[in-house]
Amino acid sequence: MSSTGVPFRVGQGYDVHAFGEGDHVMLGGVRVPHDRGVIAHSDGDVVIHALCDAMLGALALGDIGKHFPPSDERWKGADSRAFLRHCDALARERGWQLGNADVTVVCERPKVGPHAQTMRELLAQDLSVDIDAISIKATTSEKLGFTGRSEGIAAMAVCLLVKS
Ligand code: MG
């Protein structure tokens, strides 16, 4: 039982990266071919960054910038899956594990759907949960705002942690 007496914890996360030079974007650990890349210190994986922030939020441990500061050379070009595994370890050390997570990617392009299943498999591996605990969805923003103008890509995540 947690200090609040409730055997569940909920968290939410949000992340954005601007498009820049490049030929792919990393999404949920998958290298997705695209005519742009993203500007980022790490690999700029908005799916994983939003999910990490959701897990850290559920644990009330601050945010991804606190745990993996862009000023730290260790994280330059980092594989964001290492961030996710670290967040999972923080949860498990405290007696929690992921119950389920739901992530929504917002962009006009690239198309996320064809890669969603692979993303689910990779994230489920990193979090040691069944694939049906991980949902990846996508939407456009109907050509509105920065995502609609294809200036960048965003992701939102919610997760539930349960007592392990
Ligand atoms: Mg980020």
Side-chain angles (χ1 to χ4, degrees), residues 106-153:
V106 186
C107 62
E108 301 296 321
R109 287 188 309 118
K111 285 227 171 295
V112 171
H115 306 283
Q117 185 69 9
T118 310
M119 292 178 201
R120 294 175 67 207
E121 286 167 11
L122 297 178
L123 301 183
Q125 272 173 29
D126 288 338
L127 295 166
S128 305
V129 294
D130 290 341
I131 191 167
D132 66 2
I134 308 286
S135 161
I136 302 284
K137 315 197 302 296
T139 185
T140 72
S141 51
E142 298 289 340
K143 303 259 175 30
L144 298 171
F146 72 89
T147 50
R149 293 187 297 269
S150 294
E151 294 168 1
I153 185 165

Side-chain angles (χ1 to χ4, degrees), residues 14-17 39-50 53 64 80 83:
Y14 176 67
D15 192 45
V16 170
H17 282 279
I39 299 167
H41 186 70
S42 67
D43 65 7
D45 190 322
V46 290
V47 168
I48 292 182
H49 294 181
D53 250 359
I64 193 169
S80 292
F83 298 171

Side-chain angles (χ1 to χ4, degrees), residues 46-92:
V46 290
V47 168
I48 292 182
H49 294 181
L51 182 51
C52 284
D53 250 359
M55 292 184 70
L56 292 171
L59 294 164
L61 286 178
D63 56 44
I64 193 169
K66 174 180 160 186
H67 290 265
F68 312 103
S71 55
D72 190 330
E73 281 302 304
R74 272 183 302 170
W75 311 122
K76 194 165 177 359
D79 177 351
S80 292
R81 292 181 67 190
F83 298 171
L84 189 59
R85 290 191 289 267
H86 183 75
C87 290
D88 186 54
L90 290 174
R92 288 177 189 272

